[in-house]
Amino acid sequence: MAAVLPLTGVIRPYAWGSRTAIAGIQGRPAPSDGPEAELWLGAHPGDPSTVTRADGPVSLAALIADDPKGQLGAEVVDEFGPRLPYLMKVLAAAAPLSLQAHPDADYARRAFAAQEADPAAPKNYTDAHHKPEMLVALTPFEALCGFRPPEESAAELEALGIARLAPVTEALRRGVPGLSDAVRTLLTWPADDRAPLIDEVVAAGTSPLATALANHYPGDPGVLVALLLHHVRLAPGEAIWMPAGNLHAYLDGTGVEIMAASDNVLRGGLTPKRVDVDELLRVLRFEVLADPLLPATEVAPGVETWRVPIRDFALYRMRFGDATPPRKLPGEGPRIVLGTAGDVFVAEAVDGTPVEVTPGTAAYVPAETGPATVAGVGEVFVATVGL
């Protein structure tokens, strides 16, 4: 029987990251020397975590490669191959992230294969996988997520009183069928007029969101597209779900994010990185998102999950008080347990050596470990495969 192992993640220093959030969670001095945007917990080849065995540290990716069925379980290997199908993160945004969307699984496979077969093709894809994702807020969190009803967006743009936005509002007045034309018009707005147009939108004073985005990304067309999306404010414990084709951008705050283990991102703005408007428009789903929030479901006392319609991942939150007895760790297959509060211990169900999980630290539970228990006082998030 494999033991539960301590797991150490990798911090990515993207420029939009906070200098206090992840350091504060982990109890390190803050502010940090540089931005700390994401704490990666998983086996993604871009930055695999490290697990500590009795004979020393080893990459989680290497551990899985050496024994896929023992680490992942036969069912996971049969469905996803010899790879951990999810990636867990702590995301800490001090500035807006890029306006982006992700392809579905079928499109990702075809697009990646076509790209690999043509050396001259634009390099939009890093792998052949989809990247649906979900975020649960740890602090108050702001995001843009999904299209609002086009008629609402048209009314807001018309209220600005800017005549040359008429082609956009006319497209939006056609309802959902006009969304793609409206988005394309805004993303391809003539470069020499883009900054003056954004200045006019800001000067109108009716959209504080546009003002904030323009301060971070002056002249960026994403500032205009943002006006078509839901502006979401999450309280701690609330979640949003970003399926394939959903246009979204995180703005500010700290949360636990879980996603399919891919790095396929199509950007449309709010970024200095490469933008491919045509490819983004191919993967976008032009539909109204009725409610960006994803409700939690209690599955046991002190244990809740957020149900999503995919099998790559599932996420649970477990909370323990002074009198809470040890609980069975939810999920099956390979699991990662992230501490966010208090002092919690994870162990094999029978005679296992417990691994302590404190805020910002984690434990890894291989599939062959079987049942495991969690005890202590605090809060943990558990990532698992959604089989």
Side-chain angles (χ1 to χ4, degrees):
M1 192 69 72
V4 177
L5 300 171
L7 181 142
T8 303
V10 179
I11 293 176
R12 288 211 154 186
Y14 303 131
W16 49 261
S18 169
R19 292 173 181 257
T20 58
I22 295 177
I25 290 171
Q26 294 183 329
R28 294 184 284 108
S32 56
D33 291 339
E36 297 180 339
E38 297 178 345
L39 172 64
W40 282 31
L41 302 163
H44 190 281
D47 257 328
S49 299
T50 299
V51 293
T52 304
R53 303 190 297 186
D55 58 352
V58 62
S59 160
L60 179 57
L63 190 68
I64 291 170
D66 288 344
D67 181 20
K69 288 192 175 180
Q71 297 299 317
L72 304 176
E75 188 175 1
V76 172
V77 174
D78 288 345
E79 180 160 348
F80 298 102
R83 54 187 286 272
L84 187 67
Y86 63 79
L87 174 63
M88 189 184 202
K89 299 179 181 179
V90 177
L91 182 144
L97 281 67
S98 59
L99 191 65
Q100 60 188 264
H102 313 295
D104 63 29
D106 180 63
Y107 191 92
R109 282 192 296 270
R110 291 186 287 108
F112 183 71
Q115 175 183 290
E116 293 300 284
D118 181 2
K123 303 306 178 186
N124 288 313
Y125 299 92
T126 63
D127 55 67
H129 307 294
H130 66 166
K131 191 177 180 280
E133 56 193 35
M134 179 179 73
L135 181 136
V136 180
L138 292 177
T139 69
F141 196 96
E142 292 190 59
L144 301 171
C145 185
F147 289 110
R148 297 189 294 156
E151 298 81 3
E152 290 183 10
S153 300
E156 183 172 313
L157 292 183
E158 287 173 342
L160 297 175
I162 301 174
R164 60 189 188 284
L165 280 175
V168 180
T169 57
E170 289 169 5
L172 293 171
R173 287 296 181 192
R174 302 203 311 269
V176 171
L179 266 176
S180 60
D181 288 341
V183 173
R184 178 181 289 277
T185 298
L186 291 173
L187 289 179
T188 59
W189 200 271
D192 59 353
D193 187 45
R194 192 179 296 151
L197 175 61
I198 292 172
D199 288 343
E200 280 192 64
V201 170
V202 170
T206 60
S207 179
L209 174 60
T211 302
L213 293 176
N215 287 336
H216 285 287
Y217 299 104
D220 191 300
V223 174
L224 303 171
V225 178
L227 302 177
L228 312 185
L229 305 178
H230 290 284
H231 181 200
V232 183
R233 295 178 175 87
L234 301 177
E238 291 186 319
I240 49 175
W241 158 241
M242 281 70 62
N246 175 289
L247 190 60
H248 63 276
Y250 298 141
L251 303 179
D252 182 73
T254 302
V256 174
E257 188 180 28
I258 187 166
M259 62 189 64
S262 168
D263 207 20
N264 284 328
V265 179
L266 284 305
R267 297 179 177 87
L270 307 183
T271 179
K273 296 181 179 179
R274 180 175 177 273
V275 171
D276 187 328
V277 172
D278 289 335
E279 190 64 14
L280 174 67
L281 293 173
R282 290 187 192 104
V283 305
L284 281 182
R285 291 183 178 172
F286 292 102
E287 56 192 26
V288 173
L289 181 63
D291 186 357
L293 296 185
L294 183 66
T297 300
E298 187 175 56
V299 295
V303 182
E304 59 187 351
T305 190
W306 297 265
R307 302 195 187 282
V308 294
I310 60 163
R311 292 165 63 85
D312 305 64
F313 64 76
L315 186 69
Y316 296 85
R317 180 170 69 169
M318 307 180 73
R319 286 176 283 186
F320 299 83
D322 291 331
T324 305
R327 291 198 179 110
K328 179 184 176 182
L329 185 68
E332 297 180 358
R335 286 158 287 176
I336 293 174
V337 184
L338 166 69
T340 51
D343 199 7
V344 176
F345 296 85
V346 186
E348 297 171 56
V350 180
D351 300 327
T353 300
V355 172
E356 184 178 19
V357 176
T358 56
T361 70
Y364 167 66
V365 185
E368 62 184 355
T369 298
T373 60
V374 188
V377 177
E379 177 185 82
V380 297
F381 283 81
V382 181
T384 183
V385 182
L387 297 177

